[in-house]
Amino acid sequence: MKIIDLRSDTVTRPTAAMRKLMSSAEVGDDVYGEDPTVNRLEGLAAELAGMEAALFVCSGTQSNLLALLSHCQRGDEYIAGQTAHTYRYEGGGAAVLGSIQPQPLDFASDGSLDLEKVAAAIKPQDCHFANTRLLCLENTQAGKVLPLDYQQSAASLAREHGLAIHLDGARVFNAAVQQQVPLERITRHYDSVSICLSKGLGAPVGSVLCGSAALIGTARRWRKVVGGGMRQAGVLAAAGILALTEQVERLAEDHHNARRLAEGLSGLDGIEIDPGAVQTNMVFVRAAKSRLVTLQSFLAERGILVGGYGDLRLVTHLDVDSRDIDRVVDAFADCLSPRGA
Ligand SMILES: *Cc1c(COP(=O)(O)O)cnc(C)c1O
């Protein structure tokens, strides 16, 4: 029985083409800047983002951390969503390693941060307060795509107040594909953008941080400081190059599968689901806690893995096809309205 793993798109495995490219990658010592494949990946990422430079790092968490450390000094503050990855899911790294204080705000239901609330949270220049330095947005945020005009307004607000603006774009290609725009139409609004290669794009490891040459120079130094300098990393970067060149358009299939999944589940009793809210590759299922626990173990017996904090989160990706979606819908139906009941 094939295991259908819907816990996250991080579970994707490198494709055969990717493994082949990895095995023949030209390599050098990247700490000396001498790995040609890493240099190609960084050049490609910078070009796609329309930025001067990029840095290949081991994870999205490290990429966001380096962005925070590079934009902010000790005693500075960044504004982020209450459930933003940069605040909630990165072990407090910015505080632990940078003495940088977060100012969390609730996300609006569309994944944005209300700009009036952001403006109100920016601290005046006064020795009582931390220095508000940075606004962090997330796109996609829980599968939701930020509107382009919103991002432009957020960037204007940040600039008006002398803040830098960072995008946690772990899944920003899902947003670009959904909006049918080149990546640069989104990234142009930011001073830095972090992009995961290891989620729906299928690379085994790695993220890229993009920004100005000066910012990336600082981030490169911080990467070394946090122990993230890699040597013959071209083996990994080769997979990243293939992720950026051949895996982006395919994300549309994940979005299609997520919508089919949501529609298939929407008629079932005992769970709440909003197919209209599915924009990219995530479906959220709400139900009483006890039912979610029952569902989770029932599905596990059928070889279907699901997760989430609170609601069930079902994530479609490279290793889930439309037949798998049918199997998942059938399993939910069998659990929620058992035959003969
Ligand atoms: C996955 C994710 C990250 C971090 O990526 P890792 O490579 O798992 O460290 C950052 N931000 C968001 C929004 C993510 O979904």
Side-chain angles (χ1 to χ4, degrees), residues 61-80 86-88 90-104 123 129-136 163-164 166 215 218-219 222 226:
T61 300
Q62 186 177 73
S63 187
N64 282 326
L65 173 65
L66 300 184
L68 287 160
L69 291 172
S70 302
H71 284 295
C72 301
Q73 306 285 320
R74 177 180 191 205
D76 285 351
E77 172 183 84
Y78 68 106
I79 297 173
T86 48
Y87 169 56
R88 184 75 164 259
E90 297 185 356
V96 174
L97 297 159
S99 301
I100 303 162
Q101 160 175 299
Q103 168 61 69
K123 313 285 184 291
F129 303 119
N131 298 311
T132 312
R133 270 295 302 143
L134 179 70
L135 173 60
C136 287
L163 310 191
H166 170 71
L215 187 87
T218 306
W222 278 121
V226 300

Side-chain angles (χ1 to χ4, degrees), residues 10 59-61 64 85 90 138 140 168 170-171 196 198-199 207:
T10 55
S59 69
T61 300
N64 282 326
H85 208 283
E90 297 185 356
E138 194 170 296
T140 61
D168 178 356
R171 298 185 180 87
C196 283
S198 61
K199 290 185 170 166
S207 283

Side-chain angles (χ1 to χ4, degrees), residues 9 14 22 43-44 47 51 56 60 72 122 151 157 174 199 215 219 240 252 260 306 309 338:
D9 46 9
M22 292 170 78
L44 175 63
E47 189 189 322
M51 293 192 173
F56 181 47
C72 301
I122 298 170
Q151 294 174 96
L157 177 83
N174 293 81
K199 290 185 170 166
L215 187 87
R260 269 197 62 221
V306 297
Y309 295 93

Side-chain angles (χ1 to χ4, degrees), residues 25-27 35-42 233-235 237-239 241:
E26 247 190 291
V27 295
D35 188 301
T37 310
V38 171
N39 292 341
R40 257 175 58 222
L41 170 65
E42 292 178 345
V235 172
I241 290 171

Side-chain angles (χ1 to χ4, degrees), residues 83-86 107 111 136-142 144 146 167-168:
T83 56
H85 208 283
T86 48
F107 278 121
C136 287
L137 298 179
E138 194 170 296
N139 189 14
T140 61
Q141 201 285 311
K144 284 164 286 192
L146 293 182
L167 180 66
D168 178 356

